[in-house]
């Protein structure tokens, strides 16, 4: 039987916060290219932090994200400037919460609630501040503090070390299949927030729970 | 000045061999879905071997590729069977060479020519056999021998250990940006075979040479 949950650990981008605003910002700056830019941008962002982790060449997610943006714009044949890149990067600091995120966090206040992101604090802190949810969280932890990206086991170990509980007493939430696989591989209990009805990753690391949004967590309220 | 090249080390899929046949095979089995299946299949294949490397959960590229195929078919909402999966997997064993590959290998016979792939020998050996280029190569090396996927430095170290030369005396060829970045990071000289006119990866690891196909190597013949 699964152990009782002592801490709820949330991924950020796509999990608590809606990244759709990034596509909209891209479309506003480069009409007709929003979809293509935002897709390549996200693909390269994930590829680049995985690459850097594999090569032992850590850089902050802010720097990685900016590099991925440069690639995406060049791939679309678009001329860019520092100002335009800055404007698009700033979208990451003002993402909206999903509609249920705040209410769910409020109803889970009797538990330890932690945010754990590949985002560096220069991205993470303003985002949480701007969304007004700082007081609802016990802690916001960035992999930048140890310079090891999820899904490397060392990253999940780092957040666990701050909780003073066993690894299978953590419930980890993410909408990203790679993040859920990594957390499960490390030994967390996992709840995949599968907002897009995607297939389960074929990595023999199935999530403990699958919910269509964060409201699924209210069974623990 | 760059050191003289003592060994030419080639990646396989997309570099010596044309992977377009995979899309065609997907289209034949699932008309109207070939493009989508083959794109997701490739994306997940790369994601899964990177994930496994990051998590310390090695499995052969054959197994990884089959898992990625399962995901791609499910993502397209397609019913699959073992027979269908096997038929699509077999496409990997009968890929055609690019039109220039064999002629270039023949003209570089005065040099040490090595193939180095993430592919396990159960994929790599039949492919090279079927294409009839075995006698043109000094060696076909698989990461499966050390169970470390490119772009991890340990993988490139493994092939280097078999060459008895310095790392910067190797010229490494790949069409994959992540592979070129990894090889450059390790210290090989690199020639990116940029068949699709893609942008250079934004990882501060620019290739030493960029060619549109393998004919660019004939400057060393």
């Amino acid at each position: 039987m699964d152990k009782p949950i002592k801490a709820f650990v949330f991924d950020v981008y796509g999990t608590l916060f809606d990244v759709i605003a990034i596509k909209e910002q891209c479309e506003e700056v480069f009409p007709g290219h929003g979809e293509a830019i935002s897709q390549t941008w996200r693909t390269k962002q994930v590829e680049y932090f995985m690459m850097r982790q594999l090569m032992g060449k850590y850089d902050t997610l802010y720097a990685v994200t900016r590099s991925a943006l440069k690639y995406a714009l060049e791939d679309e044949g678009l001329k860019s400037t520092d100002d335009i890149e800055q404007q698009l990067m700033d979208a990451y600091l003002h993402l909206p919460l999903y509609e249920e995120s705040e209410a769910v966090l409020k109803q889970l206040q009797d538990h330890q609630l932690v945010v754990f992101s590949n985002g560096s604090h220069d991205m993470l802190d303003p985002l949480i501040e701007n969304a007004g949810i700082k007081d609802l969280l016990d802690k916001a932890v960035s992999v930048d503090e140890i310079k090891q990206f999820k899904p490397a086991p060392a990253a999940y170990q780092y957040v666990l070390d701050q909780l003073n509980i066993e690894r299978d007493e953590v419930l980890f939430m993410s909408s990203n299949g790679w993040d859920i696989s990594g957390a499960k591989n490390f030994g967390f209990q996992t709840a995949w927030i599968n907002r897009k009805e995607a297939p389960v990753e074929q990595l023999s690391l199935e999530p403990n729970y699958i919910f269509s949004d964060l409201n699924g967590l209210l069974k623990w309220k």
Side-chain angles (χ1 to χ4, degrees), chain A residues 102-191:
Chain A
E102 189 167 355
V104 169
L105 292 175
K106 279 182 175 160
Q107 291 179 77
L108 294 174
Q109 286 294 301
D110 287 347
H111 305 271
Q112 193 174 182
L113 301 183
V114 175
V115 147
F116 179 46
S117 173
N118 272 345
S120 31
H121 280 293
D122 52 358
M123 301 174 75
L124 201 54
D125 297 348
L127 181 66
I128 289 170
E129 191 77 43
N130 292 334
I133 56 164
K134 196 175 171 188
D135 294 345
L136 298 176
L137 303 169
D138 291 285
K139 202 175 277 198
V141 180
S142 165
V143 302
D144 190 54
E145 296 160 27
I146 189 181
K147 305 196 189 309
Q148 302 278 339
F149 283 117
K150 298 184 286 181
Y156 302 104
Q157 180 68 57
Y158 178 73
V159 73
L160 177 63
D161 287 344
Q162 303 182 44
L163 299 174
N164 291 314
I165 56 176
E166 299 296 316
R167 61 180 81 190
D168 56 356
E169 294 170 332
V170 171
L171 183 67
F172 179 79
M173 273 63 64
S174 179
S175 65
N176 296 299
W178 55 263
D179 202 2
I180 287 295
S181 304
K184 178 80 188 200
N185 176 58
F186 177 69
F188 287 163
Q189 293 189 54
T190 54

Side-chain angles (χ1 to χ4, degrees), chain A residues 1-212:
Chain A
M1 211 189 108
D2 291 336
K3 281 221 203 140
I5 308 298
K6 292 196 180 161
F8 291 74
V9 178
F10 295 84
D11 173 53
V12 171
Y13 304 110
T15 304
L16 286 170
F17 288 86
D18 191 348
V19 290
I20 191 83
I22 293 169
K23 182 170 82 178
E24 292 165 357
Q25 187 67 29
C26 291
E27 181 66 23
E28 199 177 306
V29 176
F30 294 108
H33 297 278
E35 178 74 32
I37 296 169
S38 59
Q39 275 198 14
T40 305
W41 190 2
R42 174 60 177 168
T43 301
K44 283 290 164 183
Q45 182 196 42
V46 174
E47 186 185 318
Y48 284 177
F49 71 66
M50 286 194 185
M51 285 285 300
R52 287 189 170 276
Q53 182 69 30
L54 286 168
M55 299 190 300
K57 289 253 173 184
Y58 179 84
D59 201 349
T60 65
L61 192 73
Y62 188 90
V64 164
T65 303
R66 186 139 185 168
S67 297
L69 172 59
K70 277 182 203 286
Y71 183 99
L73 294 175
E74 198 179 333
D75 194 46
E76 275 290 290
L78 297 167
K79 258 263 187 284
S80 169
T81 66
D82 280 355
D83 281 354
I84 288 174
E85 285 174 18
Q86 194 58 56
Q87 185 183 345
L88 294 174
M89 286 295 298
D90 284 348
Y92 264 96
L93 310 182
H94 299 275
L95 299 174
L97 290 163
Y98 285 104
E99 59 176 2
E100 82 280 11
S101 298
E102 189 167 355
V104 169
L105 292 175
K106 279 182 175 160
Q107 291 179 77
L108 294 174
Q109 286 294 301
D110 287 347
H111 305 271
Q112 193 174 182
L113 301 183
V114 175
V115 147
F116 179 46
S117 173
N118 272 345
S120 31
H121 280 293
D122 52 358
M123 301 174 75
L124 201 54
D125 297 348
L127 181 66
I128 289 170
E129 191 77 43
N130 292 334
I133 56 164
K134 196 175 171 188
D135 294 345
L136 298 176
L137 303 169
D138 291 285
K139 202 175 277 198
V141 180
S142 165
V143 302
D144 190 54
E145 296 160 27
I146 189 181
K147 305 196 189 309
Q148 302 278 339
F149 283 117
K150 298 184 286 181
Y156 302 104
Q157 180 68 57
Y158 178 73
V159 73
L160 177 63
D161 287 344
Q162 303 182 44
L163 299 174
N164 291 314
I165 56 176
E166 299 296 316
R167 61 180 81 190
D168 56 356
E169 294 170 332
V170 171
L171 183 67
F172 179 79
M173 273 63 64
S174 179
S175 65
N176 296 299
W178 55 263
D179 202 2
I180 287 295
S181 304
K184 178 80 188 200
N185 176 58
F186 177 69
F188 287 163
Q189 293 189 54
T190 54
W192 182 31
I193 311 304
N194 184 14
R195 299 184 184 276
K196 295 178 182 168
E197 296 184 36
V200 174
E201 302 293 349
Q202 293 279 344
L203 286 160
S204 304
L205 291 164
E206 284 71 25
N208 297 75
Y209 307 93
I210 303 178
F211 303 124
S212 58

